[in-house]
Amino acid sequence: MLQQTQVATVVEYYPRFLEQFPDVTTLAKAAEQQVLRCWEGLGYYRRARQLHQAAQIVCEQHGGVFPTTYEEVLKLPGIGRYTAGAILSIALQQRLPIVEANTTRLYARLLHWEEDVTKTASQDRFWEFAQWILPHRHLSEFNQALMELGSLVCTPKTPDCDHCPLQKLCPTCFDQSSDRIPRPKKKMQYQQVQEVAVVVRHRDGNRILLRQCQADERWAGLWDFPRFAMDIQTTDQLTPREENKIVAHTRKLAKVRVEQLELLTRIRHGVTKYRITLNCFSAKLQRDQTRHEQTRQWIHPDELETIPLSVTGRKISRVLQTAPR
């Protein structure tokens, strides 16, 4: 959960996840949709799917007991070199190095490394250094201390060098170059984009359409309202051309023809380098071209609470709960 996600966000999810899946067997037997629903809001949903797959492998291939060799742990979905080393050194005192965001910054300053820390040569040097400094005892405490030192003392901005136990060993502290080591990341250039989401209401007036995001799409495995990229004017009134384009996109994506488009809400959010304006419309079903398809379902709005959605999909569902039907 902590991969690419801050502790402040995870602390709310972690106990709730463990309450629902208290052991590896329970997690392995759970439906993927149940796992995704519990993970909803944390983002990077591939982590949840890989965690679920890893639990199944642990049960099927290791008798429900987590493997204890580096090679076996590394084979589990979602586990790379750092995660395998962290698990085995912290839990089992195995002599394995760790390199992650906080220790990368720490190593760069201890080595006075002025190159781009994301380059392969830099990462190779850090892994070599991390292996070289490993003690032969207290591996768990040592590796955790490295991460805590990077997180709490050797911070990205204004590191607390005066209270750092490695102050006398650090050339970056000596020449006061922490503002340029590690080399600052290039400032993200955000792109403004527009998307459209369509809440398709069945002719019976009681159900709405959801489609499951596919493997090559954002939020794979989650359910969503038909959604696609499309620029529209900022006014609330669609032009005939815009309305025709939305109808055509919806038919291609969800295999339904719709009519009577009305603006439901606008949501602004960010995904990586994109700043997205999501224009949400309600529409009435005119014709359903495919009635039996596992990647689509017609549901009552009250059922949305049990279905895994993206953050913006959940916001749309909240709007639906208060909107007149």
Side-chain angles (χ1 to χ4, degrees), residues 240-252:
R241 183 173 180 272
E242 289 171 340
E243 186 163 343
N244 289 336
K245 285 182 68 175
I246 293 175
V247 170
H249 278 305
T250 305
R251 180 171 57 185
K252 180 179 180 181

Side-chain angles (χ1 to χ4, degrees), residues 95-153:
R95 196 169 183 267
L96 293 166
I98 56 169
V99 176
E100 42 79 66
N102 289 313
T103 53
T104 288
R105 181 169 57 256
L106 178 65
Y107 299 158
R109 286 171 175 165
L110 288 173
L111 293 168
H112 207 262
W113 193 263
E114 300 188 58
E115 304 299 321
D116 184 345
V117 296
T118 64
K119 298 293 185 182
T120 300
S122 299
Q123 287 295 304
D124 289 345
R125 182 68 182 97
F126 296 152
W127 279 104
E128 179 185 359
F129 181 69
Q131 179 69 52
W132 180 70
I133 62 175
L134 280 176
H136 290 273
R137 299 170 56 195
H138 307 298
L139 273 305
S140 175
E141 293 86 346
F142 183 79
N143 276 345
Q144 290 185 77
L146 286 174
M147 290 188 285
E148 291 293 288
L149 187 61
S151 173
L152 302 177
V153 179

Side-chain angles (χ1 to χ4, degrees), residues 24 40 51 59 69 73 77 84 92-93 101 108 137-138 147 160 177 181 183 190 208 219 242 283 295 304 307 315 321:
V24 69
E40 185 183 300
L51 182 63
C59 288
T69 69
V73 173
L92 298 176
Q93 298 284 353
R137 299 170 56 195
H138 307 298
M147 290 188 285
D160 188 7
S177 56
I181 297 178
R183 180 185 295 183
Y190 294 106
I208 57 177
W219 306 313
E242 289 171 340
T295 58
L304 286 168
I307 295 174
K315 287 182 178 179
Q321 291 176 349

Side-chain angles (χ1 to χ4, degrees), residues 29-288:
K29 290 181 178 179
E32 183 182 275
Q33 293 295 291
Q34 183 184 3
V35 176
L36 289 173
R37 180 65 182 92
C38 193
W39 196 275
E40 185 183 300
L42 268 179
Y44 300 100
Y45 292 94
R46 183 174 64 175
R47 297 177 299 174
R49 296 194 300 274
Q50 290 177 331
L51 182 63
H52 187 218
Q53 294 164 6
Q56 293 173 332
I57 292 173
V58 168
C59 288
E60 293 168 3
Q61 300 181 15
H62 301 283
V65 179
F66 197 84
T68 57
T69 69
Y70 180 76
E71 291 73 18
E72 289 176 322
V73 173
L74 201 59
K75 289 179 182 178
L76 295 174
I79 293 184
R81 186 178 183 181
Y82 154 64
T83 306
I87 291 171
L88 294 175
S89 66
I90 292 172
L92 298 176
Q93 298 284 353
Q94 292 190 20
R95 196 169 183 267
L96 293 166
I98 56 169
V99 176
E100 42 79 66
N102 289 313
T103 53
T104 288
R105 181 169 57 256
L106 178 65
Y107 299 158
R109 286 171 175 165
L110 288 173
L111 293 168
H112 207 262
W113 193 263
E114 300 188 58
E115 304 299 321
D116 184 345
V117 296
T118 64
K119 298 293 185 182
T120 300
S122 299
Q123 287 295 304
D124 289 345
R125 182 68 182 97
F126 296 152
W127 279 104
E128 179 185 359
F129 181 69
Q131 179 69 52
W132 180 70
I133 62 175
L134 280 176
H136 290 273
R137 299 170 56 195
H138 307 298
L139 273 305
S140 175
E141 293 86 346
F142 183 79
N143 276 345
Q144 290 185 77
L146 286 174
M147 290 188 285
E148 291 293 288
L149 187 61
S151 173
L152 302 177
V153 179
C154 195
T155 52
K157 296 180 180 180
T158 60
D160 188 7
C161 297
D162 291 342
H163 295 94
C164 179
L166 301 180
Q167 177 187 12
K168 294 181 180 180
L169 302 175
C170 182
T172 303
C173 175
F174 178 76
D175 68 5
Q176 298 183 338
S177 56
S178 61
D179 58 332
R180 59 182 177 83
I181 297 178
R183 180 185 295 183
K185 296 179 181 178
K186 292 182 180 179
K187 190 173 182 179
M188 179 73 76
Q189 298 296 317
Y190 294 106
Q191 297 181 28
Q192 302 293 331
V193 298
Q194 289 195 65
E195 293 182 351
V196 168
V198 183
V199 178
V200 183
R201 298 186 183 276
H202 199 276
R203 286 187 294 269
D204 61 20
N206 295 320
R207 292 177 293 163
I208 57 177
L209 179 67
L210 290 181
R211 63 176 296 274
Q212 192 170 32
C213 301
Q214 300 305 292
D216 60 343
E217 296 179 286
R218 191 197 314 161
W219 306 313
L222 275 67
W223 292 83
D224 195 16
F225 305 95
R227 182 190 306 233
F228 43 85
M230 179 182 155
D231 289 339
I232 65 172
Q233 294 179 0
T234 56
T235 61
D236 292 347
Q237 186 65 43
L238 289 170
T239 66
R241 183 173 180 272
E242 289 171 340
E243 186 163 343
N244 289 336
K245 285 182 68 175
I246 293 175
V247 170
H249 278 305
T250 305
R251 180 171 57 185
K252 180 179 180 181
L253 185 63
K255 298 182 175 61
V256 292
R257 186 171 182 85
V258 298
E259 58 184 358
Q260 299 179 20
L261 290 164
E262 294 182 5
L263 183 66
L264 188 64
T265 187
R266 276 197 179 92
I267 300 171
R268 290 178 174 81
H269 67 111
V271 177
T272 60
K273 65 178 181 179
Y274 301 102
R275 291 297 176 262
I276 302 170
T277 298
L278 178 62
N279 304 284
C280 309
F281 294 89
S282 64
K284 184 178 179 181
L285 174 69
Q286 186 183 70
R287 184 169 69 251
D288 190 349

